[in-house]
Amino acid sequence: MQKIFFVEDDDGINFIIKKTLDNSNFKSEGFKKGLHFIEKFKEEKPSLVLLDLMLPDVSGFELIKYIRKTDQKIPIIVVSAFQDETQKVQAFDLGADDYIVKPFGILELTSRIKSKLRKVSVELTLSFEDLVMYPKKRIVQNKLKKINLTVKEFDILKYILINKENIVSKEEIYKSVWNSNVFVESRTLDVHVKSLRKKLIDCNVNFLIKTVRGIGYKIEKKI
């Protein structure tokens, strides 16, 4: 389960954030002082940090700098009463990923958190059924067995996995994989998909890349 640290010295807002995270099935730990957060952060790295800027000991800006000195990837969402553009720009310049102005809506807070966590998850791994992809390492494996793909096959599969809930059009794949808005030759993509399918079938993966006539492709679990 993903764990979120939040730093908020106001008792009322601290309670609201805690309840919101609990109701969204996140593990969480709250801190009212920046120094207490730093002590815990040295021991354990969370999946995401919610951070107030105006704290009784260390400012939120200093905490952003501290986090980014040790970790560049953990999402930081500032939750602050500061509405001035200067504070927002400073927070982003120091490494914050998002900024929510108080008072905030619970649904908005939850949506922002899930959005940031999805982005991190995509950067680390993609998966469907028994297949796992590591985009940065460009590794695909099924039941710990590596599947050897060409560059284009890998990128096609990556795009399909990112959009696994949807039908992806051939035009979308061309734009993503070939970095082009021009849909040149359908046969080129068909050949790559055919080869990709064969490799996945040979590795006995538990899903199929189905053709949706006149549109594109859809990934589906085997029946």
Side-chain angles (χ1 to χ4, degrees):
M1 183 183 291
Q2 293 166 310
K3 187 170 185 178
I4 295 173
F5 286 175
F6 60 96
V7 190
E8 172 59 64
D9 65 317
D10 183 282
D11 289 336
I13 298 176
N14 192 294
F15 177 79
I16 291 172
I17 292 176
K18 176 65 177 173
K19 291 294 290 183
T20 299
L21 296 176
D22 288 346
N23 290 338
S24 299
N25 296 317
F26 291 117
K27 287 181 65 178
S28 66
E29 188 166 351
F31 308 88
K32 294 183 179 180
K33 291 187 177 182
L35 291 177
H36 293 164
F37 164 80
I38 290 174
E39 290 174 5
K40 184 63 177 181
F41 192 83
K42 289 177 181 178
E43 301 174 2
E44 179 183 2
K45 297 297 184 289
S47 300
L48 181 144
V49 176
L50 296 174
L51 188 62
D52 189 12
L53 293 178
M54 195 163 51
L55 298 167
D57 51 356
V58 181
S59 79
F61 296 114
E62 291 299 320
L63 291 183
I64 296 173
K65 287 195 287 186
Y66 172 79
I67 295 169
R68 287 294 174 246
K69 281 182 181 179
T70 58
D71 194 293
Q72 294 294 318
K73 295 180 180 180
I74 293 176
I76 302 172
I77 300 179
V78 172
V79 183
S80 173
F82 289 136
Q83 300 186 40
D84 189 87
E85 186 177 7
T86 303
Q87 277 82 22
K88 292 181 182 180
V89 170
Q90 185 178 354
F92 284 123
D93 285 347
L94 289 174
D97 297 281
D98 203 350
Y99 195 109
I100 300 175
V101 176
K102 299 176 184 176
F104 55 86
I106 291 175
L107 292 179
E108 178 189 10
L109 177 63
T110 304
S111 176
R112 300 277 192 99
I113 290 171
K114 289 182 177 179
S115 174
K116 296 305 174 187
L117 290 175
R118 277 197 302 270
K119 183 178 179 182
V120 172
S121 177
V122 166
E123 289 174 353
L124 296 176
T125 63
L126 293 168
S127 64
F128 188 76
E129 292 298 318
D130 52 353
L131 180 138
V132 179
M133 173 183 281
Y134 301 89
K136 290 190 175 181
K137 296 180 180 179
R138 296 191 72 83
I139 292 174
V140 181
Q141 62 186 40
N142 172 45
K143 297 175 182 176
L144 302 180
K145 181 180 178 181
K146 186 176 179 181
I147 304 174
N148 294 315
L149 303 178
T150 66
V151 172
K152 294 303 183 188
E153 290 167 357
F154 184 95
D155 291 340
I156 291 168
L157 181 58
K158 176 183 174 182
Y159 189 79
I160 292 173
L161 288 174
I162 290 173
N163 298 280
K164 60 188 176 184
E165 303 298 327
N166 306 308
I167 298 171
V168 294
S169 70
K170 292 185 176 183
E171 289 86 350
E172 289 171 339
I173 294 175
Y174 260 105
K175 185 176 180 180
S176 174
V177 176
W178 276 267
N179 296 313
S180 172
N181 290 312
V182 181
F183 186 52
V184 183
E185 175 55 62
S186 176
R187 182 62 182 161
T188 301
L189 177 57
D190 293 340
V191 169
H192 282 89
V193 171
K194 182 179 179 180
S195 175
L196 172 60
R197 279 175 172 153
K198 183 178 185 307
K199 291 180 179 180
L200 294 175
I201 290 171
D202 288 345
C203 290
N204 197 32
V205 298
N206 194 36
F207 62 86
L208 300 169
I209 298 176
K210 297 189 68 175
T211 297
V212 181
R213 188 177 297 276
I215 303 177
Y217 303 100
K218 178 78 170 71
I219 193 169
E220 290 185 1
K221 180 181 178 180
K222 287 182 180 177
I223 299 175

